[in-house]
Amino acid sequence: MRTFITVLAATAASAVVYDVNAQSLETGKKFLSYERYSSAHAALQPLSASSPEANYYFGLVQLGEGDVNAAKASFAKFPKDFYNQAGTARVLFAEGKGDEAFKMLQEIVDGAKKKDWEKYKVAADAITYSKTATKLDEAVAWYKTAKEKKSDNAELLIGLGDALMRQNTGASNGEATQVFDEAIKIGGSNSLAYARKGLLWLNARQYKEALESYSQAKDADKENPLPYGDLAEVYYRSGKYELAKQNIEEYLKLSDKTTLDQLRYGNILYLTQNYKEATAKYKELIAQGQGEKTPTLYRGLAYAQYQDNNYAEALVSFDKYRSLVKDPKDFTYEDDLYYAYVNNALSKSDEANAAKYTATAEEYYVKALAKNTDEDKTALYRKIADGYKETKNWAKVSEWYDKLVKAYPEASPLDYFNAGYYAYFAKDLTKAKTGLETFNAKYPEENVGYFWLARIAAAQDPEAKTGTAVEPFKAWLNKAPKAGEARKKEDEITAYEYLALVSYNKNDGRGAVDYSKKIQALDPENKPSKQIIDYFAKKGIK
């Protein structure tokens, strides 16, 4: 009898251990799907020694933590298990060995039996969730084969939806929406499925729908931090900065508060223009010794310091970031652009070294342009010009708009106008005249170019004695404004003041008085026009 009792006890204990392990595995998988890597690490590590499946998910956690070597060692513990083979394929993708990785995945799929759906899923997951992996069409096909064998698995459907999202076509995104809806009907991973729908809407810039989906994701599982993080971005993009900040704070509460979680928090603070708070957060993490492990902390710090007008400190942070970046490809065109911004700003505040900073700024603006892969780079040209506007380097502003219109002849009217307009403020009147004549020839219906050509002519006649701007100003005044537009009062006064002064200098009393009266009609307090009227009134000209 005693032996029987002992056996029963042992059996019951085994059942409890099994249930606890199964529960812990599901908990670890949930934490992993929510990108709570520290929590997933703690849940899965004790199970990884005895369970190949748990070991696989533990290896995925290590990949999520950025420790590729540790993940590689973990997957190697169960070399014949297809889960861990798929994990090894993910490591190969991370190491840039895509062909080897895909060959291994193909072997997993080829070994699948009639009802064996998991091999298709795990192989497809390896492609979908490896940033450098290609052959997404193959991943989608494998998911669909798995779905034919197992139609009621929400995790599988979410994987399929994610693969379709990565394909990023109108058709694939539409299909992804349907797949996520199927996953929601099945249940079990609704918070994740709703969050994925929110991401679809976010990428499509359909913010109302994104907000609705993320709200549903929050309601489905109060412990999921992902909706809050993405909501912060939704609100940031729609200009609701306070709500963005509130949601990123909720995200941080629910997350594991890892360095990457806090970096994301700091980034939203930066994006919502809380530059001082962002700077403090980046500095806090760097002070904890995280800067060497996470170089992008210095990147974020440099950006925040630049926006907060701390240019010298921003340059130090940028240089530190650059020294830590192992692969030059990780230094993006935006980094080149902002590095140029910082140097350009210093050229204004540090006159002793202005030439050095100006040269560096120009070098990195050119690098940013070369590194940018957009088919249409007009926005980047404008950003470079904006950098020079900040330091009132009008010659450079004009130069970059000139480069823009030469590279993109169908650029906007404003781009053509700016090429000439800013040359005027750079006191390069010849270039300004050429630029505005080009603008007028291309956009003859626009009035503003004619006015500024007159201003250029007036600048060549500062004492209004030769009358070089008389005909240009008259041409502008006689040209009817575009439908729905009106000339600025200030511009009309400028024209009439010049015409009145030329008439005065030529002793043309009638002309001087008539133009001065036009000024008075626009601005009764204008003293020079009143003085001219009074002067000629004494001579009998009214």
Side-chain angles (χ1 to χ4, degrees), residues 506-528:
K506 291 184 176 182
N507 203 31
D508 175 7
R510 181 74 272 149
V513 169
D514 288 346
Y515 287 128
S516 294
K517 285 182 177 179
K518 289 179 182 292
I519 296 169
Q520 283 287 300
L522 294 167
D523 179 13
E525 302 300 319
N526 186 281
K527 291 182 180 179

Side-chain angles (χ1 to χ4, degrees), residues 4 33 59 70 141 151 161 197 199 201 205 246 261 309 313 327 331 378 457 492 502 531:
F4 179 68
S33 69
S151 61
K197 280 190 68 177
L199 184 59
W201 293 122
R205 298 183 181 180
Q246 290 173 15
D261 293 330
N309 302 324
E313 293 177 24
D327 188 345
F331 201 70
T378 53
E492 289 194 5
V502 168
Q531 290 170 346

Side-chain angles (χ1 to χ4, degrees), residues 208-389:
K208 180 181 178 182
E209 291 81 358
L211 287 171
E212 182 180 346
S213 293
Y214 283 126
S215 178
Q216 290 168 317
K218 289 192 297 183
D219 292 340
D221 188 350
K222 303 295 185 184
E223 295 180 356
N224 184 0
L226 298 182
Y228 293 96
D230 288 346
L231 272 170
E233 188 167 347
V234 174
Y235 284 123
Y236 152 67
R237 290 192 189 183
S238 55
K240 297 177 180 178
Y241 291 167
E242 188 56 38
L243 286 172
K245 187 179 178 185
Q246 290 173 15
N247 276 275
I248 200 62
E249 287 170 350
E250 287 299 314
Y251 165 82
L252 197 62
K253 288 178 187 176
L254 294 172
S255 73
D256 284 347
K257 299 177 182 60
T258 64
T259 299
L260 291 178
D261 293 330
Q262 295 189 70
L263 175 59
R264 186 176 188 184
Y265 173 62
N267 289 346
I268 289 292
L269 288 175
Y270 167 80
L271 291 170
T272 54
Q273 300 178 11
N274 291 284
Y275 301 127
K276 284 183 169 47
E277 291 181 59
T279 296
K281 173 52 68 175
Y282 295 133
K283 284 185 173 180
E284 175 192 325
L285 295 170
I286 290 169
Q288 293 171 3
Q290 300 299 323
E292 301 292 323
K293 301 175 186 176
T294 312
T296 48
L297 286 171
Y298 286 102
R299 178 183 190 262
L301 179 59
Y303 277 52
Q305 289 169 326
Y306 166 73
Q307 296 289 3
D308 206 26
N309 302 324
N310 295 319
Y311 306 130
E313 293 177 24
L315 185 63
V316 171
S317 298
F318 253 128
D319 286 340
K320 180 65 175 178
Y321 170 55
R322 289 163 56 78
S323 72
L324 292 172
V325 173
K326 296 178 182 178
D327 188 345
K329 293 178 182 177
D330 290 337
F331 201 70
T332 67
Y333 88 87
E334 290 97 339
D335 294 335
D336 286 327
L337 178 66
Y338 274 83
Y339 191 66
Y341 279 164
V342 169
N343 278 276
N344 184 53
L346 284 167
S347 72
K348 192 73 173 178
S349 61
D350 185 354
E351 293 183 8
N353 297 294
K356 178 187 75 173
Y357 290 128
T358 298
T360 302
E362 185 73 7
E363 176 189 353
Y364 278 87
Y365 281 137
V366 171
K367 284 185 176 181
L369 196 64
K371 195 176 291 183
N372 180 273
T373 57
D374 292 345
E375 186 175 342
D376 182 353
K377 299 185 182 184
T378 53
L380 182 53
Y381 277 97
R382 295 182 194 111
K383 287 179 180 179
I384 294 171
D386 285 344
Y388 284 119
K389 283 182 192 177

Side-chain angles (χ1 to χ4, degrees), residues 335-510:
D335 294 335
D336 286 327
L337 178 66
Y338 274 83
Y339 191 66
Y341 279 164
V342 169
N343 278 276
N344 184 53
L346 284 167
S347 72
K348 192 73 173 178
S349 61
D350 185 354
E351 293 183 8
N353 297 294
K356 178 187 75 173
Y357 290 128
T358 298
T360 302
E362 185 73 7
E363 176 189 353
Y364 278 87
Y365 281 137
V366 171
K367 284 185 176 181
L369 196 64
K371 195 176 291 183
N372 180 273
T373 57
D374 292 345
E375 186 175 342
D376 182 353
K377 299 185 182 184
T378 53
L380 182 53
Y381 277 97
R382 295 182 194 111
K383 287 179 180 179
I384 294 171
D386 285 344
Y388 284 119
K389 283 182 192 177
E390 290 293 320
T391 53
K392 294 181 171 55
N393 190 339
W394 309 124
K396 282 293 184 183
V397 176
S398 172
E399 177 185 326
W400 277 92
Y401 274 112
D402 195 44
K403 288 179 179 179
L404 190 165
V405 298
K406 285 176 179 174
Y408 296 92
E410 297 309 311
S412 74
L414 184 58
D415 295 323
Y416 276 90
F417 172 74
N418 283 340
Y421 175 75
Y422 284 104
Y424 171 86
F425 288 99
K427 295 183 170 55
D428 187 345
L429 300 182
T430 300
K431 183 179 179 183
K433 185 173 185 291
T434 300
L436 289 165
E437 284 175 342
T438 301
F439 169 72
N440 286 347
K442 193 169 182 66
Y443 300 103
E445 72 282 3
E446 299 288 343
N447 283 15
V448 65
Y450 295 92
F451 172 76
W452 280 96
L453 276 175
R455 288 286 302 268
I456 291 166
Q460 295 170 326
D461 180 26
E463 295 182 1
K465 290 184 177 180
T466 64
T468 55
V470 169
E471 291 308 314
F473 270 127
K474 285 183 177 179
W476 174 69
L477 288 166
N478 291 331
K479 185 174 173 58
K482 285 173 62 178
E485 292 185 2
R487 287 192 288 257
K488 292 180 182 178
K489 182 174 73 172
E490 296 81 0
D491 292 347
E492 289 194 5
I493 290 172
T494 296
Y496 289 131
E497 282 181 337
Y498 177 83
L499 293 171
L501 191 55
V502 168
S503 298
Y504 174 84
N505 287 333
K506 291 184 176 182
N507 203 31
D508 175 7
R510 181 74 272 149

Side-chain angles (χ1 to χ4, degrees), residues 162-182:
D162 286 345
L164 290 165
M165 269 206 296
R166 274 196 63 187
Q167 287 183 319
N168 196 29
T169 66
S172 67
N173 287 333
E175 187 178 353
T177 302
Q178 295 174 7
V179 169
F180 292 137
D181 284 337
E182 286 183 56

